[in-house]
Structure formats: C-alpha cells, structure tokens
Amino acid sequence: MRGMWTPTLDEDFEHIDEQLFRYFNNASVLITGATGLVGSLLIKAFLYANERYGLAIKPIGVVRDPTKARMIFGQRANEVAFVVCNLATEALNFEGPVDYIVHGAAVTTSRIMVERPVDVIDLSLNGTHAVLQLAAEKQAKVVYLSSMEVYGTLTEGVRASEDILGFIDPLAVRSCYPEGKRLCENLCVAYGVQHGVHACIARLAQTFGAGVLPGENRAVVAFARAAAAGEDVVLKTRGQSEANYVYASDAVAALLLLLSRGESGYAYNVANEACHMTIAEMAQLAIDTVGTAGVRLKFELDEQNQSGFAPDTKLFLDAGRLRALGWKPAVAMPEALQRLVAYLKEAV
C-alpha cells in the first residue's frame, strides 16, 4: 500500500467534520510521536484534508527514525516537514513557525515499562519539557496526550470524571508510566502559569482502528486479528480489568476539537462511554463480530506477569467535559472492530 493509506482510512477521515479541519488552514501543526498510532493518524488526517478540501495545513512530524516515517507515510512523506530528534535526550528545535503542538511521544509497551523504566521516565519528563519550551518560544497551543492510567485504582462503581484520581503505588516499577503522565500533566499547568503556555490535556482511552501500524500489539487489535484469521483468542490474564475504548477517527476529531477549543490547564477524557467493557468481554465481542467459525476464547494465564500487564482496574471514564465542547463519538464497538479488520486486510 502507499504508506498504509487505504479506502477504509479515507472513509474514516471523510466522516470527520470538515470545519474541524478548516480551523487549521494555513497553520503549522507540530506532532511528536509522529510514527505512533495517534500521531501518524493526525498527520494523515491533515494531508487528507489538504487534498480533499483544498487546505494548506502544514504538518510537522517529530520522529526518531526517518526511515520508519517514510514507510508509514509512503509517497506522501514529502508533504510533511520531519524533525529528527530523540526527545529523551535532545532539545527540540524547529526554525519555522509553529502554531499548534500535539505531544504524543511516549513509551506505550508494557514490557518496556517493567524492563527499562528509567527510559520511560526520561522520555516522559524530558520530552515534555522540550515540547513545552518550544511552545513557549513559538507561542503555540499544546495538547498533551496523557492516559487513562493516571486514574490509578478507584473505588468500584465510580464514574471517573477529570477531577477524580485514585491510588498509584510509587514503589511498583510499572508505575513509571502513569506517574510520569501525572507529572507531565502538572508540568503543562506549570508552564501555563510561569511561561504563559496554553496547554490542555487529553486523557485517551485505548485507541484503535483503521491506521494501526504493523506489529501493533495492543489487546483489542490482537484479539480482532486472531479472530478474523480463524485463530483462538488467548488471554494471559483473567480479563477482569474494565477497559475504555475510542475509535481512531473519533480520537482524531477529539484532538482537533481540543486544539481549537480546549481550555488551558484542563484535562479531558477521550472515551466512547458506550464502549466500556471488561477485557474478557472485548475478546468475546471480537470473536462474535469478526471471528470465523470455531474460534474460541482461551486463557493461558501469565501468573508471574512477565508481560508487564497493568493491575486489574475498575475504571469507567466519563467524557462529559469533552462532549460539552461538541464532541460526539460516531463509531460503536462492533463497527469499530469490523472497520479495523477491513483496514488490516487492505494494508497487507
């Protein structure tokens, strides 16, 4: 495929409100983590809008591996200004104008969180400093991509609005990820107070859909891929954690809205509340929706947790604050799984 551009992905972008794109006409938007799922989708969405609506949005992608970037964006890579930078160790420099920044660079692999926690913290803290310093210099608006993991362990049955946080054990090695996210959220607020940076925070639910990258290992993608291929869906845990999801194009629409209308110093949950379920329920839904005959749900428990999975959580994200800005998720879970599988087949 031409950098993993497919009909299903184009259809997703087509259903995003045109006015969300038009707001950024002639603007420069810098995106870190540009070879990750959300970052690459944002850039592809801007390129789609430029072509579809005759706009002149200028995407700037911050990457560590330009070869990977060229593979992801294919023949349209020359439409993106790439900045090669290791945000864990280097300052972020860009000579031209920057009007908006989406900071998505982060370690998201659980195994790395438990094997190389210092690296996770370095990228989280140093990278966010670098981005916010550039934002202060350019007077750019920032959306920081945080995580639902900042909520930690909450009392069961509580709907998690942005002002409710639970317990995170600072002595657990995997806490490097959620604790780092919490600190970076506060860093956004601190830069707002001390340096006048307009920064808001998107606490993303598990994001998936058309546009997932080769080797994507998040559970919902693995479940759908296995079920569609006629393979049993295998869980390494009992699957009792409650999971919150948002389809990829709905997440893109949410981030465009936050870039344009998000309030500085505020956090916003980005989750489709209708897609809340346990991991085991998601696995069974994947089998029922996209699985072939004979596919079963199997448990092969990793009792020692060598994979570094997060502890079981009871979390239900409340997206009321984002909905109040006008966001409305469009893709329900069965359709999301179907569109994901369609994309995986197209992107081979």
Side-chain angles (χ1 to χ4, degrees), residues 286-309:
I287 292 170
D288 296 341
T289 305
V290 298
T292 60
V295 173
R296 299 176 302 158
L297 178 60
K298 295 174 63 176
F299 293 86
E300 297 178 1
L301 301 183
D302 177 7
E303 299 288 3
Q304 303 303 315
N305 195 16
Q306 294 179 348
S307 302
F309 295 120

Side-chain angles (χ1 to χ4, degrees), residues 17 23 33 66 75 81 84 86 110 123 138-139 154 160 162 167 170-171 188-189 217 239 253 260 270 297 317 335 342:
D17 185 353
Y23 181 89
Q75 63 191 22
V84 180
N86 183 347
S110 288
L123 177 56
K138 303 289 187 179
Q139 297 185 317
L154 290 169
E162 292 81 358
F167 174 72
L171 301 183
C188 290
V189 174
N217 63 354
S260 61
V270 181
L297 178 60
L317 292 182
E335 181 186 357

Side-chain angles (χ1 to χ4, degrees), residues 201-212:
I201 296 143
R203 292 177 180 163
L204 285 168
Q206 291 191 46
T207 306
F208 74 98
V212 296

Side-chain angles (χ1 to χ4, degrees), residues 31-42:
I31 298 162
T32 73
T35 58
L37 172 59
V38 177
S40 64
L41 280 172
L42 275 169

Side-chain angles (χ1 to χ4, degrees), residues 35-38 40 108-109 206-209 211-223 225 340 343-344:
T35 58
L37 172 59
V38 177
S40 64
T108 58
T109 304
Q206 291 191 46
T207 306
F208 74 98
V212 296
L213 303 172
E216 174 61 63
N217 63 354
R218 67 195 70 198
V220 61
V221 178
F223 297 161
R225 185 186 289 118
L340 169 64
Y343 172 81
L344 292 173

Side-chain angles (χ1 to χ4, degrees), residues 88-290:
T89 58
E90 299 172 1
L92 178 57
N93 298 304
F94 184 74
E95 293 300 324
V98 177
D99 302 300
Y100 302 92
I101 298 175
V102 177
H103 179 33
V107 172
T108 58
T109 304
S110 288
R111 184 178 294 276
I112 295 177
M113 294 174 194
V114 297
E115 293 179 353
R116 291 159 46 196
V118 175
D119 295 350
V120 174
I121 293 170
D122 281 346
L123 177 56
S124 185
L125 184 58
N126 297 340
T128 305
H129 259 302
V131 165
L132 292 170
Q133 285 170 357
L134 182 69
E137 174 191 335
K138 303 289 187 179
Q139 297 185 317
K141 292 178 67 173
V142 177
V143 171
Y144 171 66
L145 302 191
S146 188
S147 166
M148 62 185 179
E149 287 200 31
V150 300
Y151 286 102
T153 303
L154 290 169
T155 303
E156 189 169 348
V158 171
R159 289 284 289 264
S161 58
E162 292 81 358
D163 56 348
I164 297 175
L165 292 178
F167 174 72
I168 296 174
D169 182 0
L171 301 183
V173 67
R174 199 192 175 286
S175 295
C176 63
Y177 179 72
E179 290 280 41
K181 288 292 188 183
R182 281 188 174 185
L183 180 56
C184 289
E185 288 191 8
N186 187 252
L187 195 59
C188 290
V189 174
Y191 265 83
V193 171
Q194 189 168 336
H195 299 294
V197 173
H198 185 293
C200 70
I201 296 143
R203 292 177 180 163
L204 285 168
Q206 291 191 46
T207 306
F208 74 98
V212 296
L213 303 172
E216 174 61 63
N217 63 354
R218 67 195 70 198
V220 61
V221 178
F223 297 161
R225 185 186 289 118
E231 301 169 1
D232 288 340
V233 175
V234 178
L235 288 184
K236 298 292 186 180
T237 72
R238 291 178 175 81
Q240 295 307 301
S241 276
E242 295 179 3
N244 300 263
Y245 298 95
V246 61
Y247 186 69
S249 59
D250 285 333
V252 168
L255 296 178
L256 296 178
L257 184 63
L258 291 179
L259 276 175
S260 61
R261 297 179 58 188
E263 189 168 347
S264 185
Y266 276 67
Y268 297 83
N269 290 333
V270 181
N272 185 338
E273 293 151 315
C275 297
H276 172 270
M277 62 190 69
T278 67
I279 300 295
E281 288 171 339
M282 164 55 70
Q284 189 60 55
L285 181 62
I287 292 170
D288 296 341
T289 305
V290 298

